[in-house]
Amino acid sequence: MSVKRGKARLIRQSVILAGVIGLGAYGVTIAWLTHFDRSSAPPLSASSATRKDPIALAAFNALRGARCDYCHTENAQLPFYFKIPVARQLMAKDLRQGLRHFRYEPVLKAFDAGLPPSVEQLSRIEEVVTQNRMPPSLFLLMHWHAYLMPSERAAILTWIRQTRRNYYATPDVAPQHAEEVIQPIPEQIQVNWDRAALGKKLFFERRLSGDGKLNCASCHGLDKAGVDNLKTATGINGQKGPINSPTVYNAVFNIAQFWDGRAVDLAAQAAGPVTNPLEMGAHDWDTVVATLKSDPEYVADFQRIYGSDALTKGNITNAIAEYERTLITPDSPFDLYLKGDDNAITTQEKHGYALFKQVGCSGCHSGVALGGDAYEVMGLEGPYFTDRNTPLTQADIGRQSFTKALSDYHRFKVPNLRNVALTAPYFHDGSAPTLDDAVKKMVRYQTPAGTLSQGDIDDIVAFLKTLTGKFQGVPLQETPENPPLRSPADSDVDEH
C-alpha cells in the first residue's frame, strides 16, 4: 500500500509541477507578447497632427493597443506563433477573413495625416466597437492587454462622434443629430446650370443609341425612382443585360459608379452604356458625335457653353454628368427628423432606425446616401451565392472583374438606400423582389445577427420607407418621366 501511495503522490507532484511549468511558460509568453505588441504596433509620425488632438490620440492609442493591424492590414509584423506550422495554418483563415471584412491601412494613414477616415470606415469601427465584437476572444487568450476597456471603447466612440460633427455633418442637420451615422441630403449642391440644361437634353436624347430608340432614362426612369424596376436591364433590340440597374438619383454622392466601381465619376459612367452592345448599342463615339453635329441646335449649344469645336465625347458626358448632379432627393421624412422635427417619423420608424444601427446595417449603409461610399463582399457573413442556388454569372464576380484582385471577388459597391422603397427588385442580381425579402437576406448574409423576428424586420422596413425624398420639391412618387429642370434661381423667381 505504501508503494501505491508513493506512486500516487509522485503522479500528483508531477502533475502539479507540469502545471506550474505550463503556467510559468504561459506567463512568460504573455509577458513577451505584451512587450512585442506594444513595441511593434504602427506608430504615429513625429509630425502627425493627431498628436495634438487629445480625442483623436486617445482613440488611436486604444485601437493601436488592440492591434487591429494584425488581421486587417497586409504584411503586418506578426508574433512568433504565427510562424509555427500548425498555428499558422489555423490562423491563416482568420487573417484572410480579417482582410476580407475590413482594411485598416486607410485608417492608419488618416490618423498619421491628422485627417478623418471615410464615413464608411468610421461606421465600420463604430459597429464592431458598439457590438463588442473586437478583438476576438481567441486573440485575447494570448493578448490580454488588447482587451478594450470600457474607457477605451468610449474614447473610440467619442472620436467617431467628434469626427462626424467636424467633417461630415451637413449644414442643416439639427445639433442633436450632427454626430449621427446618417446625415440629411443637402437642399442643393454646386451645379453649372447651363451645362446641366444641356445634359438634360442629352439624358433624354435617343440618338445616343444605336437604333435611335433608347436613352439614359430607358434604364434610369426619373418617374421610377431612377431605375427600371426590372430584375436586370433591357437594352437594344430587347437584349437582357446581366445586372440590375442602380438608381441615378443621388448617384453624385457615390465614390464611383457601376456596381463594380469601374467608372471613377458620373461622366465616365455616362460614357459606358452608349457603346455597350447590350445597352444602348451605338457603334462608337465618333458616330455619336457625328450624329449630334448634324443638329445645328446641339452645335450652337456646345459652342455657347464649352467654346468652339466643343461637341466632343468628353463634353457630352460632362454635360450629362452635370445634369445627374441635380438628381438629388432631399426632404424625406427621415431628413426632416434629422433636421430637428421629432414628429416627422413614428415610434415604429425610430425603432427601425435603432435596429438598423444595432444589427450593423449602418456599418455599410452610412452617410448622406446611406451607401455608395464603400465596397463590400456579398455574402460577408453567410453563403449567399450557394443559397441562391442559381449558376454564377460574370456579373457575380463583382469588383474583381475590374481590379483583378482576389480580395475583390464577389465585392460590390454598397448601394445607396435613398428611395429604396421604390427601387425593387434589389441587389446586383435583382434576386430580392420585395423590401421585406431584401432586409431578411441582408441580415442573414451581411450581419452577424443572422436572423431577426418578423416584427423587427417590419420595423426596419418601416424605417427604410422614411428615406423616400423629393425631387425639386415634388415627392418622388409623383415625379414625371421628364421633369422640368429648376435651378435655385428659378425657384426664387417662382416664389415671387
Side-chain angles (χ1 to χ4, degrees), residues 312-473:
T312 64
K313 170 188 172 182
N315 288 338
I316 292 170
T317 57
N318 175 269
I320 294 173
E322 201 66 19
Y323 173 60
E324 290 180 349
R325 288 178 59 83
T326 73
L327 302 179
I328 59 175
T329 59
D331 294 332
S332 69
F334 190 68
D335 281 342
L336 299 180
Y337 167 75
L338 291 175
K339 292 177 182 180
D341 183 357
D342 197 57
N343 296 318
I345 61 176
T346 67
T347 299
Q348 181 192 23
E349 292 159 353
K350 291 174 185 175
H351 182 243
Y353 178 45
L355 286 170
F356 185 83
K357 294 186 289 184
Q358 178 185 324
V359 172
C361 306
S362 62
C364 293
H365 295 287
S366 54
V368 168
L370 288 88
D373 55 3
Y375 302 97
E376 191 53 271
V377 172
M378 186 66 168
L380 188 66
E381 301 288 349
Y384 172 79
F385 290 99
T386 300
D387 291 353
R388 190 182 68 178
N389 200 31
T390 58
L392 291 177
T393 70
Q394 182 68 23
D396 293 327
I397 293 174
R399 189 161 169 75
Q400 188 191 47
S401 63
F402 165 58
T403 67
K404 309 306 179 185
L406 293 177
S407 59
D408 282 335
Y409 186 56
H410 291 333
R411 192 180 298 275
F412 300 88
K413 179 166 58 68
V414 177
N416 87 65
L417 298 185
R418 291 290 181 171
N419 314 303
V420 68
L422 306 178
T423 59
Y426 304 101
F427 309 156
H428 76 282
D429 53 11
S431 63
T434 67
L435 194 53
D436 179 274
D437 184 51
V439 172
K440 288 177 180 174
K441 287 178 177 174
M442 284 291 98
V443 172
R444 166 66 182 92
Y445 297 109
Q446 301 301 122
T447 79
T451 60
L452 289 176
S453 70
Q454 185 60 50
D456 285 346
I457 295 292
D458 291 343
D459 289 356
I460 293 177
V461 169
F463 156 66
L464 293 174
K465 290 180 178 179
T466 72
L467 302 175
T468 303
K470 297 178 179 179
F471 177 56
Q472 297 184 346

Side-chain angles (χ1 to χ4, degrees), residues 26 30 33 81-82 87 90-91 94 133 135-144 146:
Y26 179 62
I30 294 299
L33 286 172
Y81 60 79
F82 279 85
L90 290 173
M91 296 171 188
D94 292 338
R133 289 168 49 203
S137 299
L138 187 60
F139 178 78
L140 293 174
L141 184 65
M142 300 298 292
H143 303 261
W144 295 357

Side-chain angles (χ1 to χ4, degrees), residues 52 236 340 349 492:
K52 300 178 182 180
I236 192 169
E349 292 159 353
D492 292 341

